[in-house]
Amino acid sequence: GAVVSQHPSRVICKSGTSVKIECRSLDFQATTMFWYRQFPKQSLMLMATSNEGSKATYEQGVEKDKFLINHASLTLSTLTVTSAHPEDSSFYICSARDLGTAYNEQFFGPGTRLTVL
Amino acid sequence: QKEVEQNSGPLSVPEGAIASLNCTYSDRGSQSFFWYRQYSGKSPELIMSIYSNGDKEDGRFTAQLNKASQYVSLLIRDSQPSDSATYLCAVTGAGNNRKLIWGLGTSLAVNP
């Protein structure tokens, strides 16, 4: 149980294009999902908290107009990187919180590796 | 002061030994504590959750929590080369969104 999928797993795009990443909880409902970014050999950095049916909460320094988050259902959240630039190249990982467990654990998707040329 | 602190390592242990990973946290209101394992180039994988003071065992893994000392640890018995990874400590922050506060991780190398 507690499986989270992410799509695509890898994407290469040209500078200036937009990229959409999907995060799905496959066997549980997730009212809250989280989006992280991780640069090579660095720790996870929380970008935003995605709440089903309401606006996402962004961490300080994360541009909400550049990283658009939509959480339209209890099993799907999307992150759109708009007008991507090479500095946006990173490993983007989503997680979903399983309210059915004792500790509200977060389970991670496999990640999306974005390369912007 | 960082909110969740871990020794970055690398921690190197021989195969079959016990690996001991430590984590301290600053928020006394924290209620849930997690250990994640992350292999290079992969996303984190939940290994252990602990909520109450004391020990919690699951297979070769034991999590230990001491809220008075604001300390949580992970013991890995009979370490295997496949345990070589970065181990991330995460603590539930205060407030309603309960987002995780992460340590920077400890790199573990198990030598055959």
Side-chain angles (χ1 to χ4, degrees):
Chain A
V3 179
V4 177
S5 71
Q6 231 177 296
H7 179 80
S9 59
R10 186 180 296 269
V11 59
I12 301 172
C13 68
K14 293 182 179 179
S15 184
T17 60
S18 294
V19 175
K20 179 185 281 190
I21 302 169
E22 291 187 350
C23 178
R24 294 181 185 272
S25 57
L26 297 185
D27 52 0
F28 65 99
Q29 293 183 328
T31 56
T32 305
M33 292 184 175
F34 302 87
W35 287 96
Y36 294 84
R37 181 167 55 180
Q38 188 174 37
F39 293 106
K41 299 192 183 301
Q42 294 189 22
S43 186
L44 291 170
M45 187 195 83
L46 179 64
M47 299 175 66
T49 301
S50 171
N51 302 299
E52 187 269 335
S54 65
K55 291 183 179 180
T57 304
Y58 289 81
E59 295 300 301
Q60 191 172 8
V62 178
E63 299 175 59
K64 62 181 180 181
D65 294 330
K66 180 170 182 62
F67 299 100
L68 301 178
I69 291 172
N70 183 276
H71 193 156
S73 78
L74 289 173
T75 58
L76 173 64
S77 176
T78 61
L79 168 69
T80 301
V81 183
T82 62
S83 187
H85 288 91
E87 58 266 30
D88 298 322
S89 299
S90 188
F91 190 41
Y92 292 86
I93 318 172
C94 73
S95 71
R97 193 167 76 201
D98 187 353
L99 296 179
T101 62
Y103 302 111
N104 296 161
E105 290 99 335
Q106 285 187 31
F107 296 93
F108 282 82
T112 297
R113 195 162 301 281
L114 171 64
T115 301
V116 184
L117 302 177
Chain B
Q1 181 186 3
K2 292 181 181 177
E3 295 182 73
V4 177
E5 292 200 50
Q6 295 181 253
N7 188 321
S8 62
L11 173 65
S12 183
V13 300
E15 184 175 356
I18 296 175
S20 178
L21 304 162
N22 304 313
C23 173
T24 58
Y25 59 95
S26 61
D27 183 357
R28 284 195 172 276
S30 300
Q31 296 185 8
S32 298
F33 308 85
F34 307 93
W35 283 99
Y36 286 82
R37 176 175 63 196
Q38 187 175 26
Y39 292 112
S40 180
K42 303 294 185 182
S43 66
E45 172 191 9
L46 180 65
I47 295 177
M48 293 286 286
S49 310
I50 189 166
Y51 182 77
S52 303
N53 278 328
D55 295 359
K56 179 184 177 185
E57 185 174 321
D58 184 1
R60 296 187 296 112
F61 300 100
T62 298
Q64 299 174 318
L65 175 62
N66 184 324
K67 289 187 179 180
S69 300
Q70 295 175 247
Y71 171 95
V72 57
S73 65
L74 179 70
L75 300 178
I76 306 175
R77 289 181 300 282
D78 188 24
S79 295
Q80 301 297 309
S82 58
D83 295 325
S84 299
T86 296
Y87 289 80
L88 301 168
C89 173
V91 174
T92 305
N96 292 329
N97 64 12
R98 296 172 63 81
K99 64 182 180 182
L100 292 178
I101 311 300
W102 294 86
L104 295 181
T106 298
S107 175
L108 172 66
V110 180
N111 304 309

